[in-house]
Amino acid sequence: MLSRTGMKLAGCALLGLTALACGGKAWASDAVPDWVTAAAAEKSPAGNAKAVVLLEDRLLEVDAAGKIRLRTRMVVRIVRPQGREYARPIAYMRSDRKLLSFHVWSISPDGHPFKVKDNQIVEAGSEEWGILYDDVRFRTAEVPGADPGGVVAWESTVEEPLYSGETDWEFQGEIPQVRSVFEADLPAGWQYRALWCRHPSVAPTEVAPNHWRWEVRDVPGIHLDDIPLAPSDESLMGRMTLHYAASPLPDGPALWSRIGDWYLPLAEPKTEAPSEIATESRQLVSPDADFLDRVDKVSTFLQQQIRYVGIEIGVGGYIPHAATDTYRNRYGDCKDKATLLLAMLNAVGVRGTWVMVDTERGVVDAETPSLIGNHMIAAIEIPKGYENPRMKAVVTAKNGQRYLIFDPTNEYVPAGLIPAYLQGGVGILMAGAGTEAVTLPVLGPETSTTERTAEFELGTDGSLKGDVKVERFGSLASGMRRLYTMHDQKETRESLEKSLRSDFPEFDVTSQKTGDVRTLEKPFAVEYGVSVPGYARQAGNFLLLRPRVLGSDAMAIGDAPRALPIEFSGLEERKDTFTVKLPAGYSVDEVPEPVHLETDFATYDSSVEVKSGEVVYHRDYRLKKLELAAGDYATLEKLEGAINADENRSAVLKKP
């Protein structure tokens, strides 16, 4: 896992720290600094925010000898009890990032000032899924007066080596920010480029020779958990990326080459591999084999034999371990797995490079060169003139070179495709001076499919029993493959039963089996038997049967006014064929009319046919666009309403 900002956005292990921090609650009742008092006098913006950042103030000092120092000041007002989480003072450090100072103050709701003593500040390690060891640590404290109406403030100063010559100022978050300031004190003669993303450019003030100051005010918070089909919070948040160097800097997108020139000399030596890696690769596949066969064999090895585990020290958040270490240890994080993949492909005559991406679509911006991504994947060079219909995830660089994009960290999406969370995003194709931002392909709905087929028998009492087969392929299959790989039979059965509860108030799963989880080039099948009492409703001599027995294509969306774009997880196609054998003595009196719905982003068709004492339901749903404008929300609402109505229509069966 990479960091978006050079330091882990770790899930901090704060549980239990309160007890450590409050051993002796003798907080100093000292006056708070003037900058805290001034910020506390700011009015909170109107709205229902849980907390408000009154001041975020960062000072970057760059030393020509190769050090940077960052002083951060934060002042947060708690508005609601749930806002305490935003007022947790925290300062990160690691082996190459020295924490020089950390101070915490607060002002209680009744106006009483406090200063947290040094012996009340605790230190702990960060936690993140899949990371075995990370030298990132943090300091924090329990703060007096941290209640609604109270103000919490802290100041930290860290020092670390100058690596890439880039600092990201992320001045927008989940809660509103009244005032945000960023200053950069650069050595004499140094240059800078300030790039603004999702916020109007702000001109700086030169407060001293080559000391620059930017300020933004009244930045709204972005928290979209309650908005259906919303983009990620991070993809909408404003930021400024500052590049700085002693040598001349290019303008705009040309800065991508500077990023590549910094990264490749650090990463390329890690692909140097001993003979054991070459031997392993050539045992998997011959260097003379078909191109995609070579990619398949090596990628499958990475997916099945190399576990995702990270050990990150210092700048290890960006720089991979040696391919040799990853191969011998049989584990590594995303950049380690990409590096070993490149080394093994190289041994069988296939070249490639790294692509930095973000798992939240829209975070990486093609017009804002930055190391903002949090994930590393691979771009595999496709030989000139080579074609294969399985290769869907293809991009073409500005020089005409085609690349097959592949994520070796994802164990459940085969080479030729990419996971839905990467589609439509932007990646940084690392190619030295030729480094560029590439838009990752959006794969068609035929690459991510679900097909449900079932044979049922209906009893005279309305009971239903039968066998169901669900086949998933591509990105849609990855979640189910992971479920049936990582969990036992009891857990997978519970998952199946949970999904069926939305279709039946009462049921019994009578059997369950699965296909091959690891053969990614083929659909993954789950088969089960189900018995449902009282499925068809009796009305005198009639039975009312819902032909759409199970599985819903309708999405639950609200009717609130829409201002944000609409974003789906990925394009897909779903097909249903359900056959229901009628009970003896019953015939079909009426069936729903066929339905055809079509918009520029989706199509939906359903029909019911009667043949040989059976009712057969067919349905096909295709989602054709990944993103929609906010103005399309009314059309989406109408479509979903029509799908929901169709799903709940009934056929009428009668008994003479």
Side-chain angles (χ1 to χ4, degrees):
M1 178 67 73
L2 304 174
S3 165
R4 292 195 180 101
T5 58
M7 179 61 72
K8 286 285 174 300
L9 302 178
C12 301
L14 294 177
L15 294 177
L17 291 184
T18 298
L20 293 174
C22 63
K25 294 187 177 181
W27 292 289
S29 182
D30 298 334
V32 300
D34 290 344
W35 56 269
V36 176
T37 304
E42 295 273 8
K43 291 184 178 180
S44 297
N48 59 355
K50 300 173 185 176
V52 175
V53 176
L54 300 173
L55 174 68
E56 178 226 11
D57 185 345
R58 302 183 189 275
L59 170 62
L60 173 71
E61 297 175 294
V62 180
D63 182 346
K67 292 279 188 181
I68 64 172
R69 184 174 290 190
L70 181 64
R71 188 265 294 145
T72 300
R73 291 173 173 173
M74 296 290 294
V75 183
V76 179
R77 174 178 289 132
I78 301 169
V79 180
R80 304 177 187 278
Q82 302 91 329
R84 291 186 179 95
E85 63 177 300
Y86 298 100
R88 168 70 70 172
I90 194 163
Y92 289 104
M93 54 193 158
R94 65 187 181 205
S95 59
D96 62 342
R97 183 183 175 105
K98 184 179 180 181
L99 181 61
L100 302 180
S101 64
F102 182 47
H103 304 291
V104 181
W105 304 268
S106 66
I107 302 173
S108 66
D110 62 2
H112 195 76
F114 295 95
K115 183 180 188 301
V116 175
K117 293 183 177 180
D118 290 344
N119 63 3
Q120 293 174 312
I121 294 175
V122 297
E123 182 175 318
S126 64
E127 293 181 353
E128 189 169 357
W129 180 88
I131 302 299
L132 179 64
Y133 175 77
D134 192 336
D135 71 340
V136 172
R137 298 186 65 78
F138 63 89
R139 289 182 183 167
T140 188
E142 183 191 19
V143 183
D147 296 307
V151 171
V152 178
W154 62 96
E155 178 185 77
S156 65
T157 302
V158 297
E159 184 179 77
E160 63 184 333
L162 193 161
Y163 289 123
S164 63
E166 172 193 324
T167 299
D168 292 303
W169 177 31
E170 297 174 286
F171 52 80
Q172 190 166 28
E174 291 185 359
I175 59 175
Q177 299 199 183
V178 175
R179 181 166 170 256
S180 297
V181 177
F182 184 86
E183 295 185 44
D185 188 4
L186 304 177
W190 278 44
Q191 295 188 4
Y192 76 86
R193 293 287 183 271
L195 307 179
W196 291 78
C197 182
R198 292 182 286 274
H199 190 279
S201 177
V202 174
T205 301
E206 190 171 15
V207 297
N210 220 19
H211 182 143
W212 304 91
R213 184 179 186 277
W214 293 263
E215 180 174 339
V216 295
R217 293 189 64 95
D218 302 323
V219 178
I222 297 180
H223 191 58
L224 309 178
D225 285 354
D226 298 328
I227 299 178
L229 302 176
S232 69
D233 294 1
E234 294 87 347
S235 69
L236 300 176
M237 291 175 179
R239 66 177 185 263
M240 184 190 82
T241 296
L242 188 73
H243 294 267
Y244 42 91
S247 55
L249 289 169
D251 289 318
L255 283 165
W256 288 120
S257 62
R258 181 172 182 264
I259 290 173
D261 285 339
W262 173 77
Y263 188 78
L264 281 188
L266 297 171
E268 283 183 328
K270 306 297 185 178
T271 63
E272 296 175 3
S275 59
E276 61 185 310
I277 289 182
T279 299
E280 177 79 54
S281 303
R282 291 164 188 161
Q283 287 176 345
L284 292 171
V285 63
S286 167
D288 298 323
D290 174 78
F291 166 74
L292 194 55
D293 285 345
R294 284 177 281 168
V295 173
D296 272 338
K297 297 295 185 182
V298 173
S299 63
T300 299
F301 175 85
L302 263 292
Q303 289 176 311
Q304 297 186 4
Q305 301 298 322
I306 308 298
R307 294 176 298 138
Y308 180 87
V309 176
I311 296 180
E312 300 185 350
I313 301 173
V315 76
Y318 288 116
I319 309 306
H321 292 89
T324 304
D325 295 338
T326 304
Y327 174 77
R328 291 173 179 170
N329 294 330
R330 287 300 199 266
Y331 63 74
D333 69 2
C334 58
K335 58 191 178 296
D336 299 331
K337 295 187 73 169
T339 300
L340 178 57
L341 174 79
L342 298 177
M344 295 184 71
L345 287 174
N346 188 56
V348 292
V350 176
R351 305 291 179 262
T353 189
W354 296 264
V355 180
M356 185 178 291
V357 296
D358 199 282
T359 52
E360 297 287 354
R361 186 184 300 133
V363 170
V364 181
D365 181 71
E367 302 302 319
T368 313
S370 169
L371 286 163
I372 198 73
N374 68 355
H375 187 45
M376 193 71 77
I377 60 175
I380 303 167
E381 293 185 11
I382 301 172
K384 187 175 181 180
Y386 181 85
E387 298 292 342
N388 189 304
R390 283 184 48 218
M391 296 193 313
K392 305 294 186 183
V394 175
V395 300
T396 302
K398 292 177 180 178
N399 63 5
Q401 174 65 56
R402 293 186 304 147
Y403 291 91
L404 181 64
I405 303 299
F406 176 63
D407 184 355
T409 300
N410 190 305
E411 301 175 21
Y412 307 103
V413 176
L417 307 178
I418 54 173
Y421 53 78
L422 296 179
Q423 295 178 31
V426 174
I428 309 170
L429 180 71
M430 298 294 183
T435 296
E436 61 181 284
V438 293
T439 299
L440 303 180
V442 177
L443 307 189
E446 72 281 356
T447 67
S448 191
T449 61
T450 299
E451 185 166 0
R452 293 175 288 229
T453 57
E455 299 279 345
F456 296 107
E457 289 187 13
L458 185 65
T460 56
D461 59 353
S463 63
L464 188 75
K465 63 179 180 179
D467 297 306
V468 181
K469 183 177 183 179
V470 183
E471 293 185 296
R472 292 180 173 88
F473 176 73
S475 291
L476 275 181
S478 61
M480 294 302 294
R481 291 184 193 273
R482 181 180 296 108
L483 173 69
Y484 282 87
T485 299
M486 304 297 293
H487 299 276
D488 60 25
Q489 186 175 6
K490 178 178 180 293
E491 292 170 319
T492 58
R493 187 183 181 95
E494 289 173 351
S495 176
L496 173 61
E497 291 174 344
K498 180 179 179 181
S499 70
L500 291 175
R501 287 190 191 104
S502 61
D503 297 307
F504 315 120
E506 185 180 354
F507 63 90
D508 181 41
V509 175
T510 57
S511 64
Q512 182 182 1
K513 66 177 182 178
T514 62
D516 185 357
V517 173
R518 289 296 186 179
T519 305
L520 305 184
E521 296 79 17
K522 296 181 180 180
F524 172 58
V526 176
E527 299 180 60
Y528 59 91
V530 64
S531 175
V532 185
Y535 176 74
R537 291 177 292 138
Q538 291 186 319
N541 291 331
F542 297 93
L543 282 176
L544 303 181
L545 169 72
R546 187 184 70 200
R548 193 275 306 170
V549 179
L550 53 84
S552 175
D553 288 344
M555 291 180 282
I557 59 175
D559 57 1
R562 185 78 177 201
L564 293 172
I566 301 155
E567 184 171 297
F568 301 101
S569 59
L571 306 189
E572 59 177 308
E573 181 171 18
R574 305 178 210 154
K575 293 184 177 182
D576 294 324
T577 302
F578 302 145
T579 301
V580 180
K581 183 179 179 180
L582 304 185
Y586 277 85
S587 62
V588 177
D589 185 61
E590 181 182 338
V591 297
E593 292 293 323
V595 172
H596 174 71
L597 306 171
E598 185 164 0
T599 69
D600 64 342
F601 58 85
T603 60
Y604 178 91
D605 290 278
S606 75
S607 64
V608 181
E609 62 176 320
V610 180
K611 57 180 183 179
S612 304
E614 296 177 337
V615 171
V616 183
Y617 176 76
H618 299 281
R619 178 165 64 165
D620 190 338
Y621 170 79
R622 289 173 62 91
L623 181 62
K624 302 180 292 184
K625 281 189 177 181
L626 193 63
E627 297 178 349
L628 306 177
D632 291 320
Y633 196 64
T635 304
L636 177 62
E637 282 185 288
K638 184 177 179 181
L639 174 68
E640 296 306 317
I643 293 175
N644 183 66
D646 176 62
E647 290 185 339
N648 291 286
R649 295 192 302 169
S650 295
V652 180
L653 313 180
K654 69 177 180 179
K655 185 177 182 180

